[in-house]
Amino acid sequence: MSEKIAIQVDDLTVAYNYKPVLWDIDLVVPEAVLMAIVGPNGAGKSTLIKSILGIIDPIAGSVSIYGKPYKKQRQLVAYVPQKGSVDWDFPTTALDVVMMGTYGTLGWIKRPGKKEKKASLEALEKVGMLSFKNRQISQLSGGQQQRVFLARALVQNASIYFMDEPFQGVDATTEIAIINILKELRKAGKTVVVVHHDLQTVPEYFDWVTFLNVKKIATGPVKDIFNDDNLTKTYGINYKVAVNK
Amino acid sequence: MSITEYFNMLFTDYTLGTITLGTAVLGAICGMLGSFAVLRKQSLLGDAISHAALPGIAVAFLITGAKDSNILLLGALVSGLIGTFWIHGMTKKTHLKSDTALGLVLSLFFGFGMLLLTFIQKQPNANQAGLDKYLFGQAATLVQSDVILMIVVTALALIVMLLFWKEFKILLFDADYTKTLGFNTKFIDITITFFIVLAIVLGLQTVGVVLMSAMLLAPAAAARQWTNRLSVMVFLAAIFGAFSGVFGTAISASQNNLSTGPVIVLVASVFVLFSFVFSPSRGILFRQLRFRRNRRDLKLKKTLQFMFGIAETHENISHPHAIKILNNFQGFAKTSLRALEEKEWITLDKQSWALTKKGFEEAQTMFDKKDDNE
């Protein structure tokens, strides 16, 4: 972990129909951490990522990436949406989906060429999906689909990665493969932010954590703040006591 | 006039040539843009838009008092766009789901359009006759200027589509992600929707308000069955659309000027039906056949596994065993034994069977095979 600030969120507030989903979030994420966002259902975890990325318009607040407004720094940021957010029966192949990751740097109208294809194949290899490159995406398993999505983000060659529940509905092999890639990214100085559900694996997978329940409860190194106190504040029950019952 | 006569006259009769070219071009643009509508799960949007166009036609006639099809279509375009705009507004600003918004706009605009049409028909104006052709379409009324307009719009749509192919594709697949890459998704969205509205309005004279959406959806739905590539799907949909247009018009024109809309839609439905049944990968027929074959295959493999279990206990794997053993346990049919023999997995000898080396290996490695049929 270095001293540089990768992501800074100030006063972020989001509401759907008057009901606040995120309330006045301030968040500072240092460079080269692997951060989990945890919180109960409806806590606004996905919304937080989506509003940072400008997919959802916040009522108030600002986001800066490496000290500059997000809109000017898009090239530094990659996004892995929830795998259920798209129609996997779309007529396209795994390689084609990964190639979409190159569209951002290509800009309008320009088509991907040899260079983009090579980068996409490399990304597919990294996630162990090279042999599936020509597979129609509906014929991939859930875990394979998740890997394709990860490869699409990898090909963006970003500095910051946002991932929305990448471990949802994937098998243990895929989960390990993904977390190893994420740890490699961190080693390479990249910042990774993951919406995460499985509290058991937080200390093992992540070095940074944000507790969220509409408001930000706490954020910091896992070893310092991942404790009963914060879990209770976030989930409203004494987690340890409830589990041991 | 019979259909063969119609097609014989195609190259000599100028009017017929115009009409046929018009319906072919119309079918192509509808199929092409319909693919996008289908993939965006906006199949019903086309229906709402075409119905929403009706009052525009009526109002344009009331204002100008003339039946110039270009002006009427301009009216249709305006009210079609208003309808689309309302649908978007309703789904965004209220709790209504898009199907409700579509239904509301469709019936509201269509009702208003019908009201205006009946009002116009009561007017003492000789010019008003024939406006109802916009309900079910009458291809025979196409003239050269209509067809030129269609060709221009289609060419424009084609250029825009080729230019923004990559942007269209990524927006269709994953709109949120597209936004994070820095693309103006609203612009792409509006461009696609605008051309869909344009294609619908162009088709009103030929296919009519009521059935126009089928013209958009049927070729695309049929094309989807044959390919797993977007480009091929769009291309096939255009071809299917063009053929539906041409054949539909030919049938309708050669049979006492039947309303063109219903006939074209029926022809397009034949494409859909055929594709749903006979497509090799997604069709019902081959899927069923594959399903049966797999079942048979699995049954054989199960038998082989059972034999393998017996043979394994012997030192000589090809040691013959009585067929009776099998029957005692699971009642195996003669046909499956013969099928196993055909695959050279076993040898049969009157009352006994023996595993071959090939069969032994097959059984041994059955569960090791990885599923990566590249």
Side-chain angles (χ1 to χ4, degrees), chain A residues 18-178:
Chain A
Y18 311 109
K19 192 176 164 251
V21 181
L22 289 175
W23 189 256
D24 202 20
I25 307 282
D26 293 310
L27 191 63
V28 174
V29 184
E31 186 182 49
V33 297
L34 189 42
M35 182 175 94
I37 301 176
V38 297
N41 292 333
K45 303 183 293 292
S46 295
T47 309
L48 176 59
I49 290 192
K50 284 184 181 169
S51 48
I52 289 175
L53 293 166
I55 297 167
I56 294 174
D57 282 331
I59 295 178
S62 63
V63 176
S64 63
I65 302 292
Y66 284 109
K68 284 185 199 148
Y70 163 70
K71 281 201 172 131
K72 291 193 175 150
Q73 304 277 61
R74 279 188 204 275
Q75 306 280 10
L76 298 179
V77 179
Y79 173 47
V80 181
Q82 276 187 29
K83 119 180 150 288
S85 67
V86 302
D87 174 15
W88 290 94
D89 196 36
F90 192 82
T92 192
T93 60
L95 176 61
D96 220 29
V97 171
V98 178
M99 295 256 262
M100 289 178 185
T102 67
Y103 287 9
T105 34
L106 281 170
W108 289 91
I109 297 173
K110 234 176 117 191
R111 300 283 181 90
K114 269 189 192 145
K115 198 178 109 202
E116 284 76 20
K117 191 173 174 186
K118 195 174 153 248
S120 306
L121 288 172
E122 281 167 12
L124 270 173
E125 186 163 29
K126 222 176 264 172
V127 299
M129 289 287 294
L130 191 58
S131 57
F132 296 89
K133 64 182 197 293
N134 292 322
R135 186 71 74 89
Q136 153 70 19
I137 53 172
S138 64
Q139 283 156 19
L140 300 172
S141 71
Q144 291 169 336
Q145 290 172 345
Q146 191 65 59
R147 288 176 194 225
V148 168
F149 258 14
L150 178 58
R152 182 176 72 170
L154 289 178
V155 91
Q156 284 181 256
N157 207 5
S159 307
I160 299 172
Y161 291 80
F162 286 96
M163 307 182 71
D164 204 342
E165 301 200 18
F167 304 120
Q168 194 187 42
V170 305
D171 57 20
T173 332
T174 301
E175 181 159 336
I176 292 163
I178 291 176

Side-chain angles (χ1 to χ4, degrees), chain A residues 9 17 38 42 77-78 81 90 133 149 155 172 205 212 219 224 240:
Chain A
V9 178
N17 304 312
V38 297
V77 179
F90 192 82
K133 64 182 197 293
F149 258 14
V155 91
Y205 290 173
L212 188 75
T219 182
D224 297 342
K240 271 246 172 79

